[in-house]
Amino acid sequence: MAGSQARPDAYVYDAVRTPFGKFGGALAETRPDDLAAAVVRATLDRSPQLPAEAVDEVVLGLANGAGEDNRNVARMAVLLAGMPTSVPGSTVNRLCGSGLDALFAGSRALETGDAHVVLTGGVESMSRAPWVLPKPSRAYPAGDVTAVSTTLGWRLVNPRMPKEWTVSLGGANEQLQQKFGISRTRQDEFAVRSHERAAAAWAEGFYDDLVVPVGDVTKDEGIRPGTTVERLAGLQPAFDPAGTITAGNASPLSDGASAVLLGTAEAAAVIGHDPIARVAGRGAFALDPQDFGFAPVEAAHRALARAGVGWDAVGAVELNEAFAVQSLACVDAWGVDPEIVNTRGGAIALGHPLGASGGRVVGTLAARMRAERVRWGVAAICIGVGQGLAVVLENNDAQEAGVR
C-alpha cells in the first residue's frame, strides 16, 4: 500500500530483578508495591540518560492482586518509584505467565507505533498474599465462613467447573508424570542440577549485573548448593503418597520483582545505549487446565514459527521450572540438548514469585545469549489453568554470535 512503512521491531535494552526470597523469608516484610517500585527505580538508574517522562508506559504482571498489590500495582510502582505522574501504568494477569505477558503487551505497543519506550516486568509477594472471605449473596449469613488463602492455586472455584480441571497444581503434574513416565530419580537429578548451576552462576558473578539488592538482601535465598539426589530421595511425596513430586523437585513459594526495558531501534538515542536483543517472535497456547505443565511446548513452536527459525538454530533456552516433571516433559518434546536449558539455574533453585518469573527468564536469557555468544534463544513458561507462553529473542550482536 502506498505510503506504508515496515513495522518497527521491539528490542530489549536492559533487564533487572530483585533477589528472590523464600516464603516467609528475607523479603516477607517488603510490600509487593515496594518490590515493584524497586525494580522500576533501578531500571531508570541503570540508564541515567533516559528521562523518566520518556517512558510511554509501565506494564507489570501480577498473579494475585488480592492484597497490598491491588489497585493496579504497576501504577503504584510508577508513583512509589518517583516517576512523573504523567507516566501511565497497567497491570496484566496471566497467572505464572503474567510477567511474560507484560512483555508481550509492551513489545506489541512498540511494534504498532503506540510507544517508543516501555518498561515491563512483574512482581509477587507470596508471603504477603492475604486470606480472603467470599462476600455473601445475602446479608448476615447464619453459618460459618471460611477464610481462603490466596498464596497459590485456584480458590473460590465455580462449582460448574469439571472436577478434572480443578485438581491441584501438583496433582495435575502427577498426572503428567504418569502420562510421560518421567521417573522420580530423573526429577531429583534435574532439581540438583538447578541448584548446582544457580550456585555456580552466582559464584562466577553472572547475576551481579542482573540482580539489585533490596535492603540487606543481595542474593536469591532458596539456593542449596549442597543438595544431592540422595537427600532429595528421602523427601516424601507432597501431593500423592504414591507420587513422585516433592518439595525438592518443585519450585518454592517466593517473593520478588523483575523489570525488562523495551524500546524501538530509534529509542537507543533517548535511552543512551544500544539494545541487547530483539523480540523476534511470541507464542501463546492453551489446552486442558490439568495439562498446563505441557503448554510451553506448542507456545515455543508458535514463537519460533513467527520468528522464522527452527529449533536447530536455538542455542539457549530458559524454561521456568514450575516442576521438574513438566520441565523434563517439555525439554523431551522439544528434542533440544538439555545442556542448553537453564545453564544458570532455574526456578527450583532460584524461586518462582509468580508475576515476576516471566521477566526473570527473559532477563536471564538475554544475558546468557551475550555471554554464550548465541544468536537465537527461547524463554518459556507454563501457566496454571492450562496455558503457556514463549518468546524468541535474537542477540543484537548477531554478527559476532555463534549460530547453532
Side-chain angles (χ1 to χ4, degrees), residues 103-116:
L103 180 137
F104 279 23
S107 58
R108 289 184 184 120
L110 299 172
E111 292 167 356
T112 59
D114 287 345
H116 295 287

Side-chain angles (χ1 to χ4, degrees), residues 177-219:
Q177 184 277 327
Q178 294 167 11
K179 180 177 181 179
F180 291 103
I182 297 172
S183 70
R184 164 77 179 268
T185 299
R186 254 191 102 189
Q187 294 175 56
D188 288 348
E189 289 172 346
F190 184 89
V192 167
R193 188 188 75 163
S194 184
H195 286 282
E196 290 176 344
R197 288 184 166 187
W202 271 105
E204 293 164 6
F206 174 81
Y207 285 115
D208 290 353
D209 192 50
L210 283 175
V211 178
V212 292
V214 177
D216 295 331
V217 186
T218 61
K219 186 176 178 181

Side-chain angles (χ1 to χ4, degrees), residues 64 66-67 128-135 144-157:
N64 203 329
R128 298 179 75 89
W131 293 277
V132 300
L133 291 173
K135 185 174 286 187
D144 295 334
V145 179
T146 301
V148 179
S149 172
T150 64
T151 301
L152 180 68
W154 209 334
R155 76 280 312 203
L156 306 179
V157 178

Side-chain angles (χ1 to χ4, degrees), residues 194-366:
S194 184
H195 286 282
E196 290 176 344
R197 288 184 166 187
W202 271 105
E204 293 164 6
F206 174 81
Y207 285 115
D208 290 353
D209 192 50
L210 283 175
V211 178
V212 292
V214 177
D216 295 331
V217 186
T218 61
K219 186 176 178 181
D220 300 313
E221 198 177 8
I223 302 170
R224 300 188 301 275
T227 299
T228 65
V229 173
E230 292 73 24
R231 288 183 182 179
L232 294 187
L235 298 177
Q236 295 299 310
F239 304 98
D240 180 347
T244 62
I245 299 174
T246 71
N249 57 35
S251 60
L253 307 179
S254 309
D255 308 326
S258 63
V260 181
L261 180 63
L262 303 176
T264 60
E266 292 73 20
V270 67
I271 292 174
H273 56 84
D274 291 332
I276 57 178
R278 179 175 70 92
V279 178
R282 297 174 295 262
F285 185 65
L287 35 60
D288 288 348
Q290 68 271 28
D291 296 330
F292 76 94
F294 200 62
V297 173
E298 180 59 25
H301 290 332
R302 294 184 178 193
L304 285 165
R306 287 163 184 158
V309 296
W311 279 110
D312 58 339
V314 174
V317 176
E318 282 295 315
L319 173 62
N320 192 60
E321 299 167 356
F323 296 84
V325 63
Q326 61 83 208
S327 300
L328 288 164
C330 291
V331 173
D332 290 349
W334 288 328
V336 298
D337 180 356
E339 292 305 310
I340 71 168
V341 179
N342 299 359
T343 61
R344 313 302 170 127
I348 290 174
L350 301 172
H352 178 22
L354 307 178
S357 289
R360 179 193 70 80
V361 294
V362 169
T364 303
L365 177 65

